[in-house]
């Protein structure tokens, strides 16, 4: 489906200050979208906005901490005060905790859940009705290959949160079919971003997983954009990642758990 000619559609990108979110903002700008950029760090958002302006895309920078349950409503309010109409929602902000379930503070678990689960759900609930009313919208939820793999120990809640996001995206995809609003879960495998610096596993994952298993944020963003335009409910970039997801689906549970049991050991986390 082609984009409406004028005015330029506007996409809200969460976690746009780095990695896959910044790459998605670039790809949407390249395809004629204006942006609302959000994350906690304002400086990289402003730098990205300046870069995108050179391509003709207008960006609005709204720094927010999505770990705050009130953040989605504040974002919606700030967007409507600026007279903007959001036609695209890119739920991308995220991180993992790898210290182990028992070694992680409950508040840190709550932050993960707010940023990657309730935040995306609430933003979709706030923004999707107007998309349906206008007969045009795009919702791209950045989940993970981890959401399709067996449970892992150490980053115990990360996979289940991403599984939730995949299933919720697929449900909303079905619910909104035929309305002009596309909903897609993007499930990247290992991607070169700040993600593994933030969770402190850069050295371990670089040693444990060979270079060919890693994809660039730009590639992941392009695959996600194309899948959402094609209204695919789910996309996993990369043949190897699809093979792993397929294997995980068909292996008996016990075998699959043993297979990924090595993951936590490789990261020497538990
Ligand atoms: N990299 C991978 O291997 C990989 C694989 C599969 C899935 N993913 C998923 O891809 C998404 C993007 O990750 P990435 O790889 O691009 O990681 P990244 O480079 O670390 O970027 C994460 C983004 O999320 C934002 N963020 C984190 N906590 C936030 C909070 N409390 N409030 C608002 N924004 C917050 C960060 O911005 P601030 O720090 O400025 O707030 C940053 O913009 C995540 O959902 C991740 O789970 C990543």
């Amino acid at each position: 489906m082609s984009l409406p000619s004028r005015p330029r559609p506007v996409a809200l990108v969460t976690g746009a200050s780095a990695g896959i979110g910044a790459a998605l903002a670039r790809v949407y700008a390249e395809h004629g979208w204006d942006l609302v950029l959000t994350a906690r760090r304002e400086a990289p958002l402003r730098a990205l906005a300046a870069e995108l302006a050179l391509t003709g895309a207008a960006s609005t920078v709204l720094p927010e901490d999505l770990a705050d349950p009130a953040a989605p409503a504040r974002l919606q309010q700030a967007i409507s005060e600026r007279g903007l109409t959001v036609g695209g929602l890119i739920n991308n902000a995220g991180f993992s905790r790898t210290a182990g379930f028992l070694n992680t503070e409950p508040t840190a678990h709550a932050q993960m859940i707010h940023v990657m689960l309730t935040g995306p759900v609430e933003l979709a609930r706030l923004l999707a009705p107007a998309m349906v009313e206008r007969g045009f919208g795009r919702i791209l939820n950045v989940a993970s290959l981890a959401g399709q793999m067996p449970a892992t120990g150490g980053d115990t809640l990360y996979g289940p949160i991403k599984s939730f996001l995949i299933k919720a995206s697929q449900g909303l995809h079905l619910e909104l079919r035929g309305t002009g609003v596309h909903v897609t879960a993007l499930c990247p495998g290992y991607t070169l971003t700040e993600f593994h610096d933030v969770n402190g596993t850069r050295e371990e994952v670089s040693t444990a997983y060979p270079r060919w298993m890693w994809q660039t944020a730009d590639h992941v963003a392009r695959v996600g954009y194309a899948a959402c335009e094609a209204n695919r409910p789910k996309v996993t970039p990369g043949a190897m990642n699809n093979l792993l997801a397929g294997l995980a689906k068909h292996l008996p549970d016990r075998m699959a758990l043993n297979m990924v049991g090595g993951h936590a050991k490789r990261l020497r986390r538990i």
Side-chain angles (χ1 to χ4, degrees), residues 84-100:
L84 297 170
T85 304
V86 168
L89 167 62
I90 321 296
N91 278 314
N92 160 81
F95 58 92
S96 76
R97 306 268 189 216
T98 56

Side-chain angles (χ1 to χ4, degrees), residues 56-103:
S59 299
T60 302
V61 170
L62 297 174
E64 268 296 352
D65 184 348
L66 284 168
D68 177 352
R74 265 200 311 268
L75 274 174
Q76 188 202 29
Q77 174 76 14
I79 287 166
S80 80
E81 278 168 9
R82 284 160 179 79
L84 297 170
T85 304
V86 168
L89 167 62
I90 321 296
N91 278 314
N92 160 81
F95 58 92
S96 76
R97 306 268 189 216
T98 56
F101 182 75
L102 298 181
N103 298 325

